[in-house]
Amino acid sequence: MINREMFGYGSEKSSIREIAAYAAGRKAAIGADKVYDFSLGNPSTPAPDEVRASIERALTLPSIQLHGYTPAVGLPEARQAVATSLNRRYGTDYAADDLFLTAGAAPALAATFRALVEPGEGAEIIVIAPYFPEYKLWIECAGARCVEVLADQETFDIDVDAVAAALTAHTCAIVVDSPNNPTGAIYPAETLRTLGEALDAAERRFGTKITLVSDEPYREITYGTEVPWIPSIHDRTVVTYSYSKALSLPGERIGWVLVPPTHPEHDELYAAIAGASRTLGHVCAPSLFQRVLIDCVDVPPNVAAYAENREALTSGLGKLGYDYVEPQGAFYLWVRALEPDADAFFQRAKALELLPVPSDSFGCPGWVRVGYCVSHATIVDSMSAWEKLAAHYA
Ligand code: PLP
């Protein structure tokens, strides 16, 4: 017997991964410089020098310290380093024991959803569309229904009235991702305050508890707009984070879940996340990269490189007449497809070796996501293909 649901997840790959694999094949066939792969959020900016220095230092440690198991929750020194950094930046009072280190944001989210959902009771988790497509998979595997609520289609801010209308007695969580993948929107403090009030009102109305899950792997990649610290706005919040983007370490798998002490069910929720992680086969986050955190927790990303790419892409596509959402953070550009069917538009782009991601899997038809964490040359060199694509529709 083979589980049909798991077979389905394994054989229907994510559209982002499928396009990235196609791009790799085309690069091998016709040359890397002739393929414009804007699919995967795999940062081309190198990991900072401090990371290499930290790894080199760690390599001198005794083997058991370097390669041995750590506590499942993570090394106390690494969790303390993260807590100290957050406290300095956000004026909070977090302790090492509020943090659970994970192999990136993906398992942090999968465990958090499992910790919040009582399967078989019709639980619902709200996501703001467009959203990172893997959320749906993790939510459904936790035993909940993924409820998509469209963002404001002008500003791509959260449409709080639409969220309020979607809240039910079954809602157990809402996911907020700011700076947003795929739109680059940063949700203002006022929006988050109003959202918090809507959640509080629903809790009173239904006699339930609704946790805000703030997924923040792009927190430090911003272009002049501040990212509000949500646990200081709404108590029943959990934060998931990853160093995949900020330190360009997506293959190394390191991140965390923070259950702030202000969360009214702090102790139970923290224990449930630990339990859920255990059921998912988590043993500990990679030991070497827990050590890297101790040294590099405050090392900033190379925002200047992304800002330069953002400028080249937005000014280039703007001149060609494309409509896009000005990104305030992260490294994705949300571009309106030149026909209503984003997939058909993608097929035309693909014929020109241009590989963005069509928007349907993000829960929002009619757009494509263009990841600009690529080399600057890829953006500059892709412009003639974007021009041909626009000319096709002129
Ligand atoms: N959340 C968002 C919004 C993402 O964009 C990603 C990865 O692209 C993840 C979570 C997963 O991050 P990680 O690679 O740390 O598992």
Side-chain angles (χ1 to χ4, degrees), residues 41 103-107 109 132 135 138 177 179-181 215-218 241-245 250 253-255 332 369:
L109 286 156
F132 180 56
Y135 289 163
W138 300 326
D177 167 30
N180 185 262
N181 171 9
D215 180 32
E216 314 193 341
Y218 303 94
Y241 184 81
S242 161
Y243 296 89
S244 295
K245 317 295 174 173
R253 314 307 305 142
I254 185 79
Y332 305 103
R369 186 191 79 170

Side-chain angles (χ1 to χ4, degrees), residues 10 37 41 79 90 116 141 152 156 182 211 282 291 319 337 349 383:
D37 177 13
R79 288 182 291 123
Y90 306 115
L116 291 168
C141 285
D152 180 305
F156 285 90
T211 288
H282 164 93
R291 294 195 177 278
K319 274 185 211 134
M383 282 303 148

